[in-house]
Amino acid sequence: MTVRAKRDYSILGDGELAALCAGRDPEAVRHVLTTNNQRLFRAAWSILKDRAEAEEALQAAYVSAFSSIGSFEGRSSLTTWLTRIVINEALGRVRKERRRRAQLDAAGVPVLDAYREKLMAGSETLAPDAAVAREQLRRVLERAIAGLPEIFRTVFVLREIEGLSVEDTSDALGIPASTVKTRLLRARRRLQEALAPEVHEALTGTFPFAGADCAALTARVMGRLGL
């Protein structure tokens, strides 16, 4: 009996990956999900500022993306294409919530603030003292970033935390590269008032979305896609 070699999806180009996903190759879909989950979750959070809402937006965006992934033309990277879909989904939810609140306010019904800070704790096991210190630092960072105006916050998350280039950020948000640079500069200036320079290295550890969180989301999306 011949044993078929397992395919290495990490070496495939975006166009080939998209084509396999369009053909509902389960492992190709799983690869795209696990590769992009954290970045896309952070993008959704940067707009919604709520973990549960960000996860819901991400799931909905994935379902929408995979239903039309056959139309992916490779004009940008697959990750940038997905980021744009997630951002549009999150912004759509913000607009919908604003309309809902406006309707309720007009009717004289008190509405609670829809943006709640449910900040995530790290999933890795640390010594008690180190875990407490790391959690405190993470909360300081996340609160400071959450306090940025939305137009600055999303650019900051994509550029500084996710490491997207100016061009990819511009493409994902649909704004000029010069605007990306200006908003990032202003975001940095605002954060300098709350954060010491040495905390910068800890930024990549904020908003963790890996391990069990990543696996659970991947399983839910795969289930919704019937894979």
Side-chain angles (χ1 to χ4, degrees), residues 8-86:
D8 185 357
Y9 291 89
S10 66
I11 65 174
L12 301 181
D14 286 351
E16 191 172 359
L17 267 177
L20 290 171
C21 289
R24 288 299 188 265
D25 180 320
E27 292 308 311
V29 172
R30 187 183 303 278
H31 174 76
V32 171
L33 291 172
T34 56
T35 300
N36 290 283
N37 275 345
Q38 177 153 284
R39 171 172 292 179
L40 300 184
F41 168 79
R42 287 170 167 173
W45 182 92
S46 74
I47 295 169
L48 296 166
K49 295 202 297 184
D50 181 272
R51 172 188 169 83
E53 290 178 9
E55 286 196 41
E56 289 177 6
L58 181 52
Q59 288 184 63
Y62 270 139
V63 172
S64 174
F66 283 111
S67 69
S68 61
I69 199 167
S71 65
F72 174 72
E73 298 177 350
R75 295 178 181 176
S76 60
S77 70
L78 184 56
T79 293
T80 298
W81 184 76
L82 289 169
T83 302
R84 189 160 51 241
I85 293 174
V86 170

Side-chain angles (χ1 to χ4, degrees), residues 127-138:
D129 290 345
V132 170
R134 184 165 182 170
E135 177 60 19
Q136 289 174 339
L137 176 58
R138 178 178 291 124

Side-chain angles (χ1 to χ4, degrees), residues 99-156:
R99 288 194 298 269
R100 185 187 73 84
R101 283 199 280 173
Q103 291 170 352
L104 291 175
D105 288 343
V109 179
V111 180
L112 294 176
D113 185 3
Y115 288 154
R116 302 174 304 279
E117 289 190 11
K118 293 181 179 179
L119 303 176
M120 301 167 60
S123 57
E124 60 265 65
T125 300
L126 300 173
D129 290 345
V132 170
R134 184 165 182 170
E135 177 60 19
Q136 289 174 339
L137 176 58
R138 178 178 291 124
R139 287 182 179 276
V140 168
L141 288 167
E142 294 183 357
R143 278 196 297 270
I145 296 168
L148 289 171
E150 181 181 313
I151 60 172
F152 300 149
R153 186 172 61 247
T154 301
V155 167
F156 184 84

Side-chain angles (χ1 to χ4, degrees), residues 163-190:
L164 266 67
S165 66
V166 171
E167 292 73 21
D168 282 346
T169 303
S170 168
D171 192 9
L173 296 177
I175 58 178
S178 58
T179 303
V180 171
K181 294 176 182 178
T182 299
R183 290 182 182 178
L184 179 60
L185 179 61
R186 292 180 178 174
R188 287 171 175 167
R189 286 175 178 171
R190 287 173 180 257

